[in-house]
Amino acid sequence: MALASEKGWGRTFVVALPYLWLLALFLAPFLIVFKISLSQDVVAQPPYTPLLDLSAGWEGIRSFLSQLSFDNYFYVLDFSNEFLQAYGSSLVIAAISTLLLLAAGYPIAYGMARAPRALQPTLLMLVILPFWTSFLIRVYAWIGILSPEGLLNQALMGIGLIEDPLEILNTDLAVYIGIVYSYLPFMVLPLYSALEKMDMTLLEAAEDLGCPPWKAFWTITFPLSLPGVAAGSLLCFIPAVGEFVIPDLLGGSDTLMIGKSLWTEFTVNRSWTVSSAVAVLLLLVLVVPIVIYQNIQQRELEAGK
């Protein structure tokens, strides 16, 4: 009986541990940020009010709740401000970047999955290798490559393709280049995992039945790799929406993304409340594709049963 009880407690602990982790590192910080977003700015420390005073008992709790409001959300969602435009611009840039990442990452993952088994660990290491260098240093390196006096323009002028330097830095094109370069491993690894597990006999059967290679790819290979496509797209799209470093260093003043707007509101305008509202709304926007993906996965599991 004692052994069975210990096993029961062990199972409970294993199941509860992920929920405790999410409670401590996600739900609790989110509730703090959400509370700040319902507050008002003041010149004090902390720079918002109201503050919860538990020493006053229930009266203090009622007074605290009565002072909370959604004014910051109305301000953020007002069309006269730039926040809605920043949200839309971020979604567009993230969506286009994800499509570019899929176009670049799929052939790489496909080639890795079809490479000899002995060579695949080396190819996998080469994909992971950029993570060994600081993300910030890698983005700064692109400034030296894309600037008017950078390596790219010098090389193109050296071989005679252009006469004047191209204006790439401080444009949306530079932002796309930076995002695709930085997030490419996040697209390649899920795709490689899905393609590497595929049963090759299906392609052999299709070939024996006279199916051309391109048709076999679109009817067999690509549908079987859709879980990897969805996982890689989410891994790239979600952080790209809130990206700050790449648009700040490579993009120009006209590059409007919600990460830059949030940083400006927090550090320049010193408004913790508005920046918290921006962060909460951004989280709600990003939850939508995650919920859709989970629903699709659940339907596939139920169909498989």
Side-chain angles (χ1 to χ4, degrees):
M1 293 293 294
L3 182 60
S5 177
E6 291 179 0
K7 289 183 177 179
W9 279 108
R11 293 192 187 97
T12 303
F13 177 76
V14 170
V15 173
L17 187 60
Y19 292 98
L20 293 174
W21 180 273
L22 290 174
L23 176 64
L25 298 181
F26 176 76
L27 184 60
F30 171 76
L31 291 177
I32 294 173
V33 173
F34 181 64
K35 181 268 168 189
I36 296 175
S37 71
L38 299 177
S39 305
Q40 294 81 42
D41 289 318
V42 293
V43 181
Q45 189 64 31
Y48 54 85
T49 187
L51 302 177
L52 178 59
D53 184 11
L54 294 178
S55 63
W58 286 109
E59 185 62 33
I61 295 176
R62 283 195 293 268
S63 175
F64 168 78
L65 294 176
S66 65
Q67 297 180 62
L68 299 179
S69 69
F70 288 90
D71 292 343
N72 293 313
Y73 291 94
F74 296 138
Y75 175 76
V76 171
L77 296 175
D78 191 341
F79 284 97
S80 63
N81 299 314
E82 68 173 13
F83 295 108
L84 285 179
Q85 183 182 353
Y87 279 119
S89 177
S90 298
L91 292 173
V92 171
I93 291 176
I96 295 175
S97 299
T98 302
L99 292 176
L100 294 174
L101 282 161
L102 181 60
Y106 202 102
I108 297 174
Y110 188 86
M112 290 171 57
R114 297 296 176 266
R117 286 285 181 179
L119 189 59
Q120 289 184 12
T122 303
L123 298 175
L124 193 61
M125 185 193 69
L126 292 176
V127 172
I128 301 174
L129 196 61
F131 287 115
W132 296 4
T133 305
S134 170
F135 171 76
L136 191 59
I137 293 176
R138 286 185 282 130
V139 176
Y140 265 112
W142 277 105
I143 298 178
I145 296 173
L146 300 176
S147 63
E149 302 82 16
L151 297 176
L152 179 61
N153 278 310
Q154 293 299 323
L156 293 177
M157 287 190 294
I159 60 178
L161 287 181
I162 59 175
E163 295 181 359
D164 298 319
L166 299 175
E167 294 293 334
I168 302 177
L169 191 63
N170 299 327
T171 64
D172 287 350
L173 177 60
V175 175
Y176 290 126
I177 293 173
I179 292 177
V180 170
Y181 168 77
S182 301
Y183 290 104
L184 187 60
F186 294 106
M187 179 64 76
V188 171
L189 295 178
L191 287 171
Y192 167 75
S193 178
L195 291 168
E196 192 269 338
K197 297 175 183 177
M198 197 181 75
D199 187 0
M200 295 301 297
T201 59
L202 297 174
L203 295 178
E204 295 175 0
E207 184 179 358
D208 292 339
L209 294 173
C211 183
W214 65 269
K215 189 173 182 180
F217 173 81
W218 286 113
T219 57
I220 299 175
T221 303
F222 188 75
L224 291 176
S225 66
L226 284 179
V229 172
S233 298
L234 283 177
L235 285 174
C236 295
F237 177 80
I238 291 175
V241 171
E243 181 60 55
F244 162 71
V245 174
I246 294 174
D248 185 59
L249 295 180
L250 301 181
S253 58
D254 294 334
T255 302
L256 186 61
M257 293 191 70
I258 197 61
K260 290 180 64 177
S261 299
L262 195 155
W263 178 84
T264 301
E265 196 66 32
F266 186 83
T267 60
V268 178
N269 299 336
R270 302 290 182 180
S271 178
W272 288 32
T273 60
V274 174
S275 56
S276 297
V278 172
V280 171
L281 289 174
L282 177 61
L283 179 62
L284 295 178
V285 170
L286 296 180
V287 163
V288 173
I290 297 176
V291 172
I292 293 174
Y293 176 70
Q294 288 181 335
N295 288 336
I296 293 174
Q297 290 289 94
Q298 185 65 31
R299 291 175 184 175
E300 290 180 353
L301 289 175
E302 293 175 355
K305 292 179 181 180

